């Protein structure tokens, strides 16, 4: 499953920030605000895709993402509360829009305005508010994964397949991306892997990538192979992976027969996972991946949607705390294969929770 940056952007917008954006645009409902926000964010991401596909564009986007302050996502409510901070924040957003769109902003804002019914001047203000947010999401993602400009170019190119559901009709062509509904393939890149002037670097990287994939496949087979009568591998699931090594294993501990979902049980499991991100070797990572998969299977969307708001808030808060601890802990793991295993395991869980919040 490819990374969907739009889902990350939407997940970064809290309810209070959404309300502030709605007040700024004068939209009548949260649904309308969300729809206009998606159109604006999709437009900026589409512009970044096109920019990254131009000569030298990926490097420029990469530098801009690096320069965007990492704390932006944690201070969105404050930055959008009005006053000097908001003015400075919007000024930085206008600079990003100039880098992406140049002199095309007026026409792009008018297209979004006609599609959403929101005044073009307010659309331009919204775009300026959203642009730093998107670059902050991208900057955080590439930093956590140690990407360079070439990796970012590939990441952005893969986003085109997700944009069709967000952009107003005709805007894809206006951005130079063509008909997104009819042609969801990734945007052509200025430096394809087969022809990039990386020379010897490519010759080194390709075998390493192949070896990494083979190792990951072997680990997956070990974790998912059927029983052979020889018993489980004692190195895969050890007592150190649970908070209480004396407790009997309970595969359904996070699910309640009556209430549907035991939020407290899920929170406890998340805390246990977060506490086991130190000194992760291959065997321990395999056990963590299995536990994450078991936990993810208990996150039934229909049951979570039916939870009372306080329990939802507790669950989402625990997920957010785990995400922060995971992103901090994953950087301490030197083995790229192990990092990839864990990231691939938690990614679908984060995406599932992000979808439930919208």
């Amino acid at each position: 499953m490819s990374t969907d940056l739009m889902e990350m952007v939407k997940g970064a917008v809290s309810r209070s920030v959404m309300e502030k954006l709605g007040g700024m645009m004068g939209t009548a409902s949260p649904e309308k605000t969300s729809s206009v926000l998606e159109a604006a964010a999709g437009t900026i991401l589409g512009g970044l895709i096109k920019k990254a596909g131009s000569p030298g564009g990926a490097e420029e986007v990469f530098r801009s993402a690096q320069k965007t302050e990492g704390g932006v996502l944690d201070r969105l409510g404050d930055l959008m509360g009005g006053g000097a901070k908001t003015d400075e924040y919007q000024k930085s957003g206008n600079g990003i829009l100039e880098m992406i769109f140049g002199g095309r902003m007026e026409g792009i804002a008018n297209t979004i305005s006609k599609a959403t019914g929101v005044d073009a001047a307010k659309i331009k203000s919204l775009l300026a508010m959203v642009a730093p947010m998107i670059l902050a999401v991208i900057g955080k993602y590439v930093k956590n994964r140690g990407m360079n400009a070439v990796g970012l170019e590939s990441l952005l190119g893969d986003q085109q397949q997700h944009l069709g559901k967000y952009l107003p009709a005709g805007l894809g062509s206006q951005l130079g991306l063509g008909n997104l509904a009819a042609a969801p393939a990734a945007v052509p890149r200025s430096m394809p892997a087969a022809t990039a002037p990386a020379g010897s670097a490519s010759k080194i990287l390709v075998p390493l990538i192949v070896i990494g994939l083979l190792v990951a496949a072997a680990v997956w087979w070990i974790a998912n192979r059927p029983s052979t009568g020889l018993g489980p591998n004692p190195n895969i699931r050890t007592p150190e992976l649970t908070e209480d090594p004396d407790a009997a294993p309970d595969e359904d501990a996070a699910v309640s027969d009556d209430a549907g979902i035991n939020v407290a049980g899920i929170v406890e499991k998340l805390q246990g996972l977060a506490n086991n991100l130190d000194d992760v070797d291959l065997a321990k990572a395999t056990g963590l991946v299995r536990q994450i998969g078991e936990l993810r299977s208990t996150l039934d969307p229909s049951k979570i949607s039916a939870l009372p708001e306080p329990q939802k808030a507790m669950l989402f808060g625990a997920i957010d705390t785990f995400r922060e601890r995971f992103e901090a802990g994953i950087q301490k793991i030197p083995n790229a294969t192990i990092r990839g295993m864990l990231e691939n395991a938690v990614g679908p869980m984060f995406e599932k929770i992000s979808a439930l919040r919208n």
Side-chain angles (χ1 to χ4, degrees):
M1 179 183 295
S2 64
T3 300
D4 188 346
L5 290 176
M6 278 293 293
E7 288 298 325
M8 294 186 184
V9 172
K10 291 193 293 180
V13 180
S14 67
R15 181 176 299 177
S16 63
V17 169
M18 187 74 77
E19 289 173 353
K20 290 177 181 178
L21 292 173
M24 182 185 77
M25 291 184 288
T27 45
S29 67
E31 292 76 15
K32 177 68 173 178
T33 302
S34 178
S35 176
V36 179
L37 176 61
E38 287 180 357
T43 298
I44 293 169
L45 189 54
L48 288 170
I49 292 171
K50 183 64 176 177
K51 180 73 176 179
S54 65
E59 289 78 6
E60 188 173 0
V61 174
F62 183 73
R63 288 194 298 270
S64 296
Q66 285 184 310
K67 287 191 297 184
T68 302
E69 187 179 350
V72 163
L73 298 177
D74 299 323
R75 300 187 296 115
L76 283 177
D78 186 37
L79 292 170
M80 295 183 182
K85 290 182 180 179
T86 300
D87 292 342
E88 189 64 26
Y89 176 76
Q90 196 159 14
K91 181 179 178 182
S92 71
N94 283 324
I96 294 170
L97 295 176
E98 176 65 26
M99 181 266 291
I100 300 173
F101 300 115
R104 296 180 294 152
M105 269 302 305
E106 197 71 33
I108 289 170
N110 285 334
T111 298
I112 300 175
S113 174
K114 290 176 183 178
T116 61
V118 176
D119 182 75
K122 293 180 178 179
I123 291 294
K124 285 193 283 187
S125 294
L126 175 64
L127 290 168
M129 291 288 206
V130 174
M133 185 194 314
I134 292 180
L135 271 189
V137 167
I138 293 173
K140 184 176 181 180
Y141 186 89
V142 299
K143 178 181 178 182
N144 287 345
R145 283 151 185 81
M147 287 183 174
N148 57 16
V150 175
L152 173 59
E153 184 180 0
S154 177
L155 171 69
L156 288 173
D158 290 340
Q159 301 309 302
Q160 190 165 335
Q161 62 184 298
H162 303 296
L163 282 187
K165 58 186 176 182
Y166 300 115
L167 293 183
L171 193 52
S173 297
Q174 190 173 351
L175 293 173
L177 300 176
N179 186 341
L180 291 175
V187 67
R189 295 167 189 159
S190 60
M191 192 181 291
T195 59
S200 59
S202 297
K203 295 178 182 178
I204 296 171
L205 285 175
V206 170
L208 288 177
I209 292 171
V210 172
I211 291 170
L213 289 173
L214 289 174
V215 172
V219 170
W220 179 92
W221 181 85
I222 291 170
N224 294 277
R225 71 188 189 278
S227 174
T228 60
L230 299 177
N233 186 332
N235 292 322
I236 291 180
R237 190 169 189 173
T238 64
E240 69 184 78
L241 295 179
T242 62
E243 287 191 294
D244 182 3
D246 297 322
D250 183 3
E251 298 299 326
D252 297 320
V255 179
S256 166
D257 292 333
D258 300 322
I261 279 194
N262 181 350
V263 174
I266 294 177
V267 170
E268 184 177 359
K269 283 182 176 289
L270 287 168
Q271 292 171 342
L273 287 168
N275 290 335
N276 281 285
L277 291 174
D278 294 329
D279 302 320
V280 181
D281 57 16
L282 194 57
K284 188 173 181 181
T286 303
L288 287 170
V289 166
R290 184 168 62 248
Q291 289 189 31
I292 291 167
E294 292 169 357
L295 177 59
R296 187 172 69 242
S297 68
T298 69
L299 299 176
D300 187 301
S302 61
K303 293 178 181 177
I304 292 177
S305 298
L307 286 172
E309 287 302 321
Q311 287 188 296
K312 278 187 186 178
M314 181 190 298
L315 176 61
F316 292 156
I319 289 285
D320 290 341
T321 299
F322 173 71
R323 185 198 295 264
E324 292 175 3
R325 295 184 63 182
F326 176 83
E327 290 178 349
I330 200 75
Q331 298 306 307
K332 301 176 182 178
I333 299 175
N335 188 299
T337 299
I338 293 176
R339 289 201 306 270
M341 288 170 56
L342 295 174
E343 288 170 344
N344 289 338
V346 301
M349 181 170 69
F350 291 155
E351 290 177 5
K352 179 183 280 191
I353 291 296
S354 294
L356 288 170
R357 280 175 153 159
N358 299 316

